[in-house]
Amino acid sequence: MKTVVQDAVVFLVMVALLLGCTQRSDRVVAVVVHPSKPTLVYVATEEAVYKTRDGGLAWKRLSEGLRRVRVMNLAIDPQLPANVFAGTLADGVYKSPDGGRRWLPRNAGIQKGTISANVNQLVFDPIDSQILYAATTVGVFQTRDAGQSWTERMRGMSEINFIVALAVDPMSPNILYAGTSGGVYRSLDGVDHWTKTNNGLVPDDAKMASMALGVNRLLIDSADPDVVYAGTTRGVFKTLNKGEEWTRLAAGLGELYVSSLVLEPGNGQHLYMGTSRGIFQSRDGGHTWKTTNNGLDNLNIRTIAMDPRDPLMLYVGTNGSGLFRSRDGGESWTHVPLATGRPQ
């Protein structure tokens, strides 16, 4: 049986592997689809950000203003989609006000001392898109002015700094969840205070609690926000009561490294899970799973994205074989080269 120390080492090794040590366009770390224009897609690799307006026939490389091109994640403003935000490796946050043509640093306050933040995820408040939250390697940060200034929001996380994932309740934006290197924390007051909610995730007597379980992705069921999924370094978990209790799903698959989770909008039973062993799909809320890897050259999945208007259209970023797309809900996949073409 693995010790907590071994789990911590495994977590750090997997993080290092996912970050990579070279800048390669075949490592796709983030994919976001425009909320109303499904043929407009942004992709972040370990060497650039790319954009297509025609569903992937031609791509444009976007880097003007980025001092470092190692972008970790992307987020589109749901109310003003021309605004695109990028979280980077060791260079904080950038904002593009014009769909990626140029990037402007938005880093005031998003650091700890002289340490610049690795920004693992950016999420918007579902009501006011001037408000964003950043999950970083030095804590949780909040902006209320679209990134002009950031404030640390770590009260209650005394033993944690490494924040990997965030999720905001779509019906009650004051409720947020943070995935950390030591499990899940929850805030009920708009990140003024955090409380550990690890019942079923991490034993109460776990040693090295700050590194007991890496939570890579959090996903809230928009139709029933009491239901939250957590993709972790040791499998996928689910809560039916806002994190009070967690239950392991897919136990028969072993301790999978889960990098990404996607839920079909309006259908809380239909879930996709990206892992170090490919993509798994569940149609019963996570009770049973099947593999959906037909056509994939690489089963080391970095990210999954779903077209918000067409749940059959999915994109997958892999750790070494680039971008893939499915038009049939994951039943088959086709490679999408990030080939630059005519100006967009």
Side-chain angles (χ1 to χ4, degrees), residues 22 34-35 43 47 57-58 74 84 114 135 139 156 162 176 194 223 237 250 256 268 271 282 297 327-328 331 341:
T22 59
H34 192 282
V43 169
E47 56 85 30
L57 295 177
L74 297 165
V84 184
T114 60
F162 200 112
L176 294 94
W194 295 93
F237 294 79
L256 285 173
L271 184 73
S282 174
D297 296 337
R327 300 179 186 272
D328 53 15
E331 294 301 318

Side-chain angles (χ1 to χ4, degrees), residues 128-144:
D128 182 357
S129 66
Q130 292 285 300
I131 301 174
L132 288 88
Y133 302 92
T136 84
T137 48
V138 294
V140 177
F141 293 82
Q142 179 192 48
T143 178
R144 292 183 171 274

Side-chain angles (χ1 to χ4, degrees), residues 113-188:
T114 60
I115 302 174
S116 298
N118 295 347
V119 180
N120 297 311
Q121 188 178 10
L122 293 164
V123 295
F124 283 91
D125 181 284
I127 295 176
D128 182 357
S129 66
Q130 292 285 300
I131 301 174
L132 288 88
Y133 302 92
T136 84
T137 48
V138 294
V140 177
F141 293 82
Q142 179 192 48
T143 178
R144 292 183 171 274
D145 52 17
Q148 295 289 342
S149 59
W150 295 84
T151 304
E152 182 184 285
R153 297 293 189 184
M154 289 291 288
R155 186 183 174 200
M157 291 187 184
S158 57
E159 61 187 18
I160 294 289
N161 281 318
F162 200 112
I163 315 299
V164 186
L166 290 167
V168 186
D169 188 318
M171 295 185 183
S172 302
N174 281 336
I175 300 176
L176 294 94
Y177 302 85
T180 78
S181 56
V184 174
Y185 284 73
R186 182 184 64 195
S187 174
L188 301 176

Side-chain angles (χ1 to χ4, degrees), residues 81-273:
N83 291 331
V84 184
F85 286 78
T88 71
L89 180 68
D91 204 21
V93 176
Y94 284 80
K95 176 184 177 180
S96 172
D98 50 16
R101 292 179 184 272
R102 57 194 171 94
W103 297 91
L104 308 170
R106 291 290 182 264
N107 292 324
I110 194 163
Q111 61 183 38
K112 181 160 287 187
T114 60
I115 302 174
S116 298
N118 295 347
V119 180
N120 297 311
Q121 188 178 10
L122 293 164
V123 295
F124 283 91
D125 181 284
I127 295 176
D128 182 357
S129 66
Q130 292 285 300
I131 301 174
L132 288 88
Y133 302 92
T136 84
T137 48
V138 294
V140 177
F141 293 82
Q142 179 192 48
T143 178
R144 292 183 171 274
D145 52 17
Q148 295 289 342
S149 59
W150 295 84
T151 304
E152 182 184 285
R153 297 293 189 184
M154 289 291 288
R155 186 183 174 200
M157 291 187 184
S158 57
E159 61 187 18
I160 294 289
N161 281 318
F162 200 112
I163 315 299
V164 186
L166 290 167
V168 186
D169 188 318
M171 295 185 183
S172 302
N174 281 336
I175 300 176
L176 294 94
Y177 302 85
T180 78
S181 56
V184 174
Y185 284 73
R186 182 184 64 195
S187 174
L188 301 176
D189 52 15
V191 299
D192 283 342
H193 184 270
W194 295 93
T195 302
K196 190 186 300 182
T197 54
N198 276 343
N199 185 22
L201 283 173
V202 179
D204 292 336
D205 59 351
K207 298 179 181 179
M208 288 185 63
S210 64
M211 294 296 294
L213 178 69
V215 178
N216 301 321
R217 190 63 56 191
L218 292 165
L219 182 63
I220 300 174
D221 184 346
S222 59
D224 183 2
D226 286 356
V227 177
V228 185
Y229 295 89
T232 81
T233 54
R234 288 158 50 194
V236 60
F237 294 79
K238 180 179 182 179
T239 177
L240 301 176
N241 49 19
K242 295 185 182 294
E244 293 296 325
E245 296 178 282
W246 295 89
T247 302
R248 179 188 291 276
L249 303 176
L253 298 176
E255 294 189 345
L256 285 173
Y257 187 98
V258 180
S259 60
S260 189
L261 293 167
V262 170
L263 192 66
E264 180 181 334
N267 183 359
Q269 298 297 301
H270 193 189
L271 184 73
Y272 293 88
M273 173 172 64

